[in-house]
């Protein structure tokens, strides 16, 4: 008797065609374009052995209840805050993510945001496009310096460390806050300090940790009040790590120089108060958005599914 065909649901069109990357004979169920809505996704899962999903798909008990045959969820992201890992473990569903392949892309974007916020590139672009620019002026759109200024990294994992490597090229003293000292930090020239010391001493504070119950709202009114009024906050991690209202308060009152945000608490919804802040540079979650990174993320998802369908544990398995 022929083995039943494995069915892989892919919740969105990805940067590469997954068909050739999956075992021969696999049935791939995916939208013709764009992404499945929640209702469409749930409706496709009844026979699915594997799911490749986006960070915008919630993998929770409700979804798992619609997928009785599911064996693996491959998250097309490094962050897994969209997945109820406990519920997956209870159901014996393996979870995999896509680390490493997006580290450089995300660190590059972090630096782009840092420079853009420090040197007021968003305001400058809007001025030029509006037609209101009247020419060079000695006091126009003055920013804060980057070279030689202190960078505080909240989290020194793969992406934080890659940002630190870039910062060294800008002669930036680096400190980091993390639950415990990180191996290799010394070689990066990064000093381990308590979060409060980092906030008070840094000219740039950049967030590089996962969203967990402990890091939700990590940067709130109290933390922002500790930062220098000339400082810049950068967030390419998860929006919910920052209290957006408190950030809008600080920017509006001039208690913080600027912010560069690639992520938001309730994407794609935006805080109208942040949108109103000229000093906030806002991007639509572009951290990993290069052709190369997105292709490799799709390939890692296909590899994780292939592993599990063959009875192996995926290389980048994540657990509760
Ligand atoms: C992007 O935000 C990711 O987690 O990969």
């Amino acid at each position: 008797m022929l083995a039943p065909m494995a069915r892989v649901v892919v919740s969105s069109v990805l940067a590469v065609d997954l068909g050739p990357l999956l075992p021969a004979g696999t049935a791939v169920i995916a939208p013709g374009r764009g992404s499945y809505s929640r209702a469409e996704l749930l409706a496709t899962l009844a026979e699915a052995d594997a799911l490749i999903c986006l960070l915008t798909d919630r993998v929770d008990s409700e979804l798992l209840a619609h997928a009785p045959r599911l064996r693996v969820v491959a998250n097309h992201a490094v962050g897994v805050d969209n997945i109820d890992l406990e519920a997956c473990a209870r159901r014996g569903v393996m979870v995999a993510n896509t680390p490493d392949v997006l580290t450089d892309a995300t660190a590059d974007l972090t630096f782009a945001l840092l420079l853009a916020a420090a040197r007021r590139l968003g305001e400058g672009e809007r001025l030029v496009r509006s037609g209101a620019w009247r020419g060079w002026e000695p006091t126009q759109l003055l920013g804060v310096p980057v070279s030689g200024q202190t960078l505080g990294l909240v989290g020194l994992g793969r992406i934080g460390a890659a940002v630190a490597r870039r910062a060294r090229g800008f002669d930036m003293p680096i400190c980091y806050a993390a639950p415990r000292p990180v191996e290799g930090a010394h070689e990066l020239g990064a000093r381990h300090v308590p979060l409060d010391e980092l906030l008070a001493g840094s000219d740039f504070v950049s967030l590089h940790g996962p969203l967990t119950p402990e890091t939700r709202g990590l940067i709130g009114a109290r933390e922002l009040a500790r930062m220098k009024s000339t400082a810049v906050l950068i967030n390419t991690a998860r929006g919910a790590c920052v209290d957006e209202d408190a950030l809008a308060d600080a920017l509006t009152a001039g208690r913080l120089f600027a912010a560069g945000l690639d992520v938001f608490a309730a994407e794609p919804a935006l805080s109208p108060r942040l949108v109103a802040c000229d000093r906030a540079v806002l991007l639509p979650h572009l951290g990993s958005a290069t052709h190369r990174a997105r292709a490799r993320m799709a390939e890692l998802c296909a590899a994780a599914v292939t592993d599990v369908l063959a009875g192996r544990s995926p290389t980048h398995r994540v657990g509760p």
Side-chain angles (χ1 to χ4, degrees):
M1 207 174 74
L2 282 178
M5 185 192 276
R7 295 168 75 87
V8 180
V9 171
V10 188
S11 71
S12 180
V13 171
L14 301 182
V16 294
D17 177 15
L18 290 185
L21 302 175
L22 292 166
T26 305
V28 179
I29 299 106
R33 60 189 171 90
S35 305
Y36 282 139
S37 66
R38 173 83 176 171
E40 287 166 342
L41 180 59
L42 296 186
T44 60
L45 288 171
E47 302 291 322
D49 300 284
L51 168 64
I52 295 177
C53 65
L54 305 185
L55 57 87
T56 46
D57 294 312
R58 228 174 346 98
V59 177
D60 53 10
S61 304
E62 182 198 31
L63 182 143
L64 294 172
H66 282 74
R69 293 168 49 113
L70 198 65
R71 292 160 62 192
V72 56
V73 173
N75 204 34
H76 182 270
V78 68
V80 288
D81 49 283
N82 57 314
I83 298 181
D84 183 338
L85 296 175
E86 305 273 355
C88 288
R90 277 198 300 276
R91 269 280 325 277
V93 174
M94 290 195 221
V95 177
N97 68 346
T98 60
D100 301 324
V101 296
L102 46 64
T103 297
D104 281 333
T106 308
D108 289 347
L109 189 94
T110 302
F111 237 86
L113 259 181
L114 186 155
L115 290 166
R119 299 299 301 274
R120 305 177 62 178
L121 302 195
E123 291 166 271
E125 238 250 343
R126 288 193 289 279
L127 177 66
V128 170
R129 285 183 188 279
S130 73
W133 185 40
R134 296 287 161 258
W136 195 91
E137 286 174 25
T139 57
Q140 191 167 62
L141 289 178
L142 303 185
V144 289
V146 174
S147 294
Q149 303 305 108
T150 298
L151 172 63
L153 297 168
V154 182
L156 193 72
R158 299 176 187 86
I159 297 171
V163 172
R165 284 193 290 278
R166 285 151 178 76
R168 295 188 72 172
F170 283 78
D171 296 325
M172 299 174 88
I174 303 162
C175 57
Y176 72 100
R180 60 197 69 81
V182 172
E183 214 187 303
H186 185 70
E187 288 71 52
L188 292 169
R191 210 162 47 86
H192 189 218
V193 295
L195 179 61
D196 277 355
E197 189 181 323
L198 179 149
L199 294 169
S202 298
D203 300 296
F204 295 89
V205 172
S206 189
L207 307 187
H208 298 289
L211 175 63
T212 64
E214 292 74 42
T215 62
R216 185 173 289 278
L218 181 69
I219 304 298
R222 192 194 79 87
E223 289 71 28
L224 291 163
R226 295 193 71 83
M227 290 175 66
K228 301 179 185 181
S229 59
T230 50
V232 174
L233 177 72
I234 306 297
N235 190 5
T236 54
R238 284 294 181 268
C241 296
V242 174
D243 176 339
E244 293 180 341
D245 256 339
L247 178 58
D249 285 342
L251 288 169
T252 309
R255 284 187 275 104
L256 192 67
F257 184 76
L261 307 175
D262 186 41
V263 288
F264 304 92
E267 293 172 15
L270 296 174
S271 147
R273 296 194 55 217
L274 275 182
V275 174
C277 290
D278 255 346
R279 294 282 181 88
V281 179
L282 310 177
L283 298 181
H285 205 144
L286 295 178
S288 64
T290 66
H291 290 291
R292 186 195 304 177
R294 291 285 166 84
R296 291 184 174 171
M297 290 162 74
E299 286 161 12
L300 277 189
C301 288
V305 167
T306 304
D307 280 339
V308 176
L309 294 181
R312 298 184 295 264
S313 181
T315 307
H316 300 296
R317 185 173 177 183
V318 282

